[in-house]
Amino acid sequence: MKKVTLTIAYALLPAIGLSTSLLSHAVSCGDNITTQEILTGDLSCATNPALTITGPAGSLDMAGFTVICTNPANDGISLEGLGARLSNGEVEICNDSVILSGDGSHSVVDIGIIDLFGTGVVIDSDNNFVSEIAFASDGATSTHGIHVTASASYNTITDNFIDSSGDDGILLEGTSNNVTNNIVDSTSDAGINVASGANSNIIILNLIQNGGDTGIKVNSDANLISQNQVNNNITGITIEDASDNLVNLNEVGDNTDYGISIEGASSEGNDILSNSSSNSGLLDLYSPDDPSCTENDWIGNIYTTRDPSCLN
């Protein structure tokens, strides 16, 4: 009986002036999306932000289409609430292109970010997943590729491509985040900047190259920097006034000044283990504020040049 009743109900839809199109909603600029939606065409938006997605039920599959900000001072797509989802499209000519706020646990996957005027992805909440973001900018107008604020922890940032950001490729200000298997190319400042207070982050298996400053810059404590390739920057990996970091199994090469350096009199308890540092313009290993090599451990590194001579 239940199957027959449902069959009759669907058969009657045309007769009472309804259609299955009512089961979905067209997405318009300025919408707050609270259900599962699929974009059906490009949107050019004057609203700020262009769209909002609110979890837990809100999600947007962009279906390969583009959201364009007609005013580059406006933001693109904001994820709010808990567990909102965004995938499969592009965000163009916005200030901050994608913002993850609210209660977090959002997912952003397979998004192209083009010609932005601010930051590509701003993460301002916890437990988010950001993957397969392709960031393309000429660097003249943009700031950071991905910015994890001081309020954001336990986020996963993986398999993204960041090209030509105006400032840092990835700026970490929060704690306990995982930054894995990203490509950061041709940034104006640091490829990955682990700012003061951004402790206990994991930074592994990233490729950072062709930057205008340091490949990986660490100004905080107890971070793991491992198995990264850091090439053709000014300095490859540097720790400045920070303690208890582990830097191991990285391949660092062809940097203009230093390969791996520790600077600042307050830098202590750092372990620099089993890295390869080569073809540096000045020195492969450098620790000017610890001439006796007693404050930090340098063990098993491959290098050609060093200062002081006790570095190993």
Side-chain angles (χ1 to χ4, degrees):
M1 283 298 295
K2 187 178 290 186
K3 181 176 181 180
V4 173
T5 302
L6 289 173
T7 302
I8 294 172
Y10 281 113
L12 288 174
L13 282 175
I16 59 177
L18 299 177
S19 72
T20 55
S21 65
L22 289 181
L23 301 179
S24 62
H25 308 85
V27 175
S28 300
C29 295
D31 279 357
N32 182 4
I33 298 168
T34 58
T35 56
Q36 297 183 24
E37 301 294 346
I38 300 175
L39 203 60
T40 58
D42 294 341
L43 291 178
S44 294
C45 297
T47 55
N48 187 19
L51 294 171
T52 300
I53 307 170
T54 301
S59 70
L60 179 62
D61 179 349
M62 298 181 70
F65 293 108
T66 302
V67 170
I68 303 167
C69 294
T70 58
N71 182 349
N74 292 342
D75 294 328
I77 301 175
S78 179
L79 282 69
E80 300 179 0
L82 175 70
R85 299 173 301 283
L86 173 67
S87 63
N88 188 26
E90 293 185 347
V91 182
E92 187 172 341
I93 319 178
C94 299
N95 181 40
D96 293 340
S97 297
V98 179
I99 304 169
L100 290 73
S101 58
D103 295 319
S105 297
H106 307 303
S107 173
V108 179
V109 178
D110 191 18
I111 297 295
I113 295 175
I114 301 171
D115 294 335
L116 71 160
F117 281 73
T119 294
V121 178
V122 177
I123 302 176
D124 195 33
S125 55
D126 299 339
N127 297 303
N128 300 288
F129 181 78
V130 176
S131 183
E132 299 178 48
I133 308 301
F135 171 102
S137 169
D138 62 7
T141 57
S142 66
T143 54
H144 310 294
I146 297 174
H147 179 191
V148 182
T149 73
S151 302
S153 299
Y154 304 106
N155 296 283
T156 299
I157 301 164
T158 185
D159 298 305
N160 302 289
F161 175 66
I162 299 171
D163 183 28
S164 301
S165 64
D167 289 322
D168 302 316
I170 299 173
L171 171 60
L172 291 176
E173 294 180 322
T175 62
S176 303
N177 299 284
N178 189 322
V179 180
T180 302
N181 205 40
N182 302 280
I183 298 174
V184 183
D185 196 346
S186 303
T187 59
S188 295
D189 290 331
I192 298 176
N193 184 356
V194 190
S196 177
N199 303 325
S200 303
N201 294 285
I202 296 172
I203 301 169
I204 60 174
L205 295 169
N206 301 283
L207 171 62
I208 300 123
Q209 60 188 9
N210 304 320
D213 202 326
T214 303
I216 300 175
K217 181 178 181 181
V218 181
N219 290 108
S220 56
D221 303 335
N223 299 284
L224 172 62
I225 315 296
S226 182
Q227 301 172 72
N228 302 283
Q229 295 184 41
V230 189
N231 307 313
N232 293 302
N233 305 281
I234 302 301
T235 292
I237 299 172
T238 187
I239 295 173
E240 297 181 3
D241 292 308
S243 300
D244 302 320
N245 295 284
L246 173 58
V247 178
N248 76 319
L249 299 173
N250 299 282
E251 295 184 10
V252 182
D254 300 306
N255 295 285
T256 303
D257 288 349
Y258 306 110
I260 302 173
S261 71
I262 298 180
E263 301 182 37
S266 62
S267 292
E268 59 184 13
N270 298 289
D271 293 326
I272 314 300
L273 311 176
S274 301
N275 303 280
S276 173
S277 180
S278 61
N279 297 324
S280 304
L282 298 178
L283 293 163
D284 294 329
L285 306 180
Y286 182 51
S287 184
D289 300 300
D290 184 17
S292 60
C293 305
T294 57
E295 299 300 324
N296 304 284
D297 289 329
W298 299 72
I299 301 173
N301 299 288
I302 299 171
Y303 62 92
T304 300
T305 57
R306 60 184 174 173
D307 184 25
S309 59
C310 53
L311 299 178
N312 183 23

